[in-house]
């Protein structure tokens, strides 16, 4: 388990610690007591500021700073740059990002552990600050939009033009009953349009439901030192994810361990050849790819698609 202090400790536990420390130090000399009280006041002020700001702090800085660091090791199509930033101990070119300090530094930054994973008590805060591993699909078209789209068909347009011509000629030749043929054609066109729109609407609804079910699969993660199956949508930054041959990569991450891992990245790069991963030359895994061989564990550094 992690021995360091987690940046995701609750205000209740922090608040309980300060009075205890103050009471203990109060038994010592006056100057020490004053120093303790000053420290306690500073800690209380810091907690109040954090509560007012609405954002917690992770080891290494604010959520904004952490995002910048994670982005510096997750740039698209930039393996050499990402690897250099991961192993660097100082920000590249004086920038805000980078300076991770290797796998050890990354785990410390995310307050996680290679064997024990994150603490379950921090999941909600991580999700609130860094987002969920889910991107809503584009809203489907309304029934009215589908109804209007049916009139883009050339056959329907020809029938409507014929109905208008028939209606005009019929009324001109026989004002009493000449409109019947044109109205009949228009009625048939509208019936066809309505039926087509209904069918298309039902198809889109069923397809959306099927896509939701296909995307909502389970993944194996480690939390509190215990392996558990959770929905890929519940994965958060810092989670230790376990994958093996045949699994789809649920989110971007950096390898912690691997055993002959090969990744099919054709969905992103178009290359049909599987990419061999290791901890030194290429420890990065990308969401949407598939593990074609081997097994590995990795820490999640980006969620959502």
């Amino acid at each position: 388990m992690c021995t360091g202090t987690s940046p995701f400790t609750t205000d209740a536990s922090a608040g309980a610690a300060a009075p205890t420390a103050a009471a203990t130090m109060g038994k010592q000399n006056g100057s020490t007591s004053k120093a303790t009280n000053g420290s306690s006041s500073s800690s209380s002020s810091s907690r109040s500021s954090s509560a007012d700001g609405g954002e917690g702090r992770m080891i290494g800085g604010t959520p904004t700073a952490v995002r910048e660091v994670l982005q510096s090791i997750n740039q698209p199509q930039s393996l050499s740059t990402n690897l250099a930033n991961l192993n660097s101990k100082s920000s590249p070119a004086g920038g805000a990002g980078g300076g991770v300090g290797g796998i050890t530094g990354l785990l410390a930054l995310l307050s996680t552990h290679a064997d024990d994973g994150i603490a379950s008590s921090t999941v909600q805060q991580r999700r609130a600050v860094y987002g969920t591993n889910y991107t809503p699909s584009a809203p489907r078209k309304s029934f009215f939009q589908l109804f209007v789209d049916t009139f883009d068909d050339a056959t329907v347009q020809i029938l409507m033009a014929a109905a208008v011509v028939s209606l005009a000629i019929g009324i001109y030749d026989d004002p009493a009953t000449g409109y019947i043929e044109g109205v009949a054609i228009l009625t048939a066109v509208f019936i066809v349009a309505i039926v087509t729109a209904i069918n298309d609407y039902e198809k889109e609804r069923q397809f959306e439901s099927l896509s939701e079910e296909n995307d909502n699969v389970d993944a194996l993660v480690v939390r509190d030192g215990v392996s558990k199956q959770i929905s890929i949508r519940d994965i958060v930054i810092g989670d230790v994810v376990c994958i093996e041959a045949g699994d789809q990569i649920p989110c971007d991450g950096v390898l912690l361990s691997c055993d002959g891992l090969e990744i099919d990245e054709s969905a992103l790069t178009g290359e049909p050849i599987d990419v061999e991963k290791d901890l030194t030359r290429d420890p990065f895994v990308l969401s949407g790819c598939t593990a074609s061989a081997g097994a590995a564990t990795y820490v999640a550094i980006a969620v959502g698609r």
Side-chain angles (χ1 to χ4, degrees):
M1 298 293 289
C2 295
T3 56
T5 300
S6 170
F8 291 100
T9 54
T10 61
D11 289 347
S13 62
T20 303
T24 303
M25 297 300 293
K27 298 179 181 178
Q28 300 178 6
N29 61 60
S31 61
T32 305
S33 178
K34 290 180 181 180
T36 303
N37 291 337
S39 176
S40 177
S41 299
S42 176
S43 175
S44 176
S45 174
S46 176
R47 291 195 301 273
S48 299
S49 175
S50 176
D52 293 339
E55 286 190 329
R57 292 178 66 89
M58 295 184 73
I59 295 177
T62 63
T64 300
V66 172
R67 290 190 189 98
E68 291 178 354
V69 172
L70 295 180
Q71 288 174 0
S72 74
I73 62 173
N74 197 32
Q75 302 176 44
Q77 304 298 322
S78 302
L79 174 59
S80 58
T81 301
N82 294 339
L83 194 58
N85 289 339
L86 174 64
N87 295 323
S88 173
K89 293 185 178 180
S90 60
S91 300
V100 180
I103 297 297
T104 303
L106 179 62
L107 294 175
L109 177 73
L110 300 180
S111 188
T112 187
H113 192 273
D115 296 325
D116 299 330
I118 63 173
S120 296
S121 59
T122 68
V123 170
Q124 292 300 329
Q125 185 176 359
R126 291 172 188 266
R127 183 175 293 118
V129 176
Y130 298 100
T132 62
N133 194 36
Y134 173 68
T135 300
S137 58
R140 66 173 185 265
K141 291 183 177 181
S142 66
F143 176 80
F144 179 75
Q145 290 176 312
L146 293 173
F147 175 75
V148 172
D149 288 346
T150 60
F151 294 98
D152 291 337
D153 185 77
T155 303
V156 173
Q157 293 174 354
I158 292 173
L159 289 174
M160 290 185 65
V164 172
V165 172
S166 177
L167 189 62
I169 295 176
I171 293 175
Y172 178 79
D173 290 341
D174 185 3
T177 59
Y179 66 88
I180 295 177
E181 184 177 348
V183 169
I185 297 175
L186 284 176
T187 301
V189 169
F190 277 101
I191 291 175
V192 170
I194 292 173
V195 172
T196 302
I198 292 175
N199 289 336
D200 291 343
Y201 184 81
E202 287 298 318
K203 288 178 182 178
E204 286 204 4
R205 186 181 63 82
Q206 293 174 4
F207 179 77
E208 183 180 40
S209 177
L210 184 60
S211 297
E212 290 283 336
E213 292 180 2
N214 289 337
D215 291 340
N216 189 22
V217 298
D218 288 341
L220 182 64
V221 302
V222 180
R223 290 179 180 175
D224 300 316
V226 179
S227 299
K228 59 180 67 176
Q229 291 277 353
I230 65 171
S231 169
I232 61 172
R233 297 179 181 178
D234 293 333
I235 294 176
V236 295
I237 293 293
D239 259 325
V240 174
V241 185
C242 306
I243 56 173
E244 58 184 11
D247 291 343
Q248 187 176 43
I249 310 300
C251 61
D252 295 355
V254 177
L255 290 176
L256 301 175
S257 65
C258 67
D259 181 14
L261 181 66
E262 295 183 4
I263 302 291
D264 178 6
E265 296 183 349
S266 59
L268 298 180
T269 64
E271 294 292 336
I273 302 176
D274 294 341
V275 179
E276 184 176 352
K277 300 289 182 175
D278 59 53
L279 302 182
T280 55
R281 293 177 300 174
D282 187 0
F284 304 101
V285 294
L286 303 175
S287 173
C289 300
T290 303
S292 55
T297 61
Y298 72 91
V299 57
I301 63 172
V303 294
R305 295 188 183 128

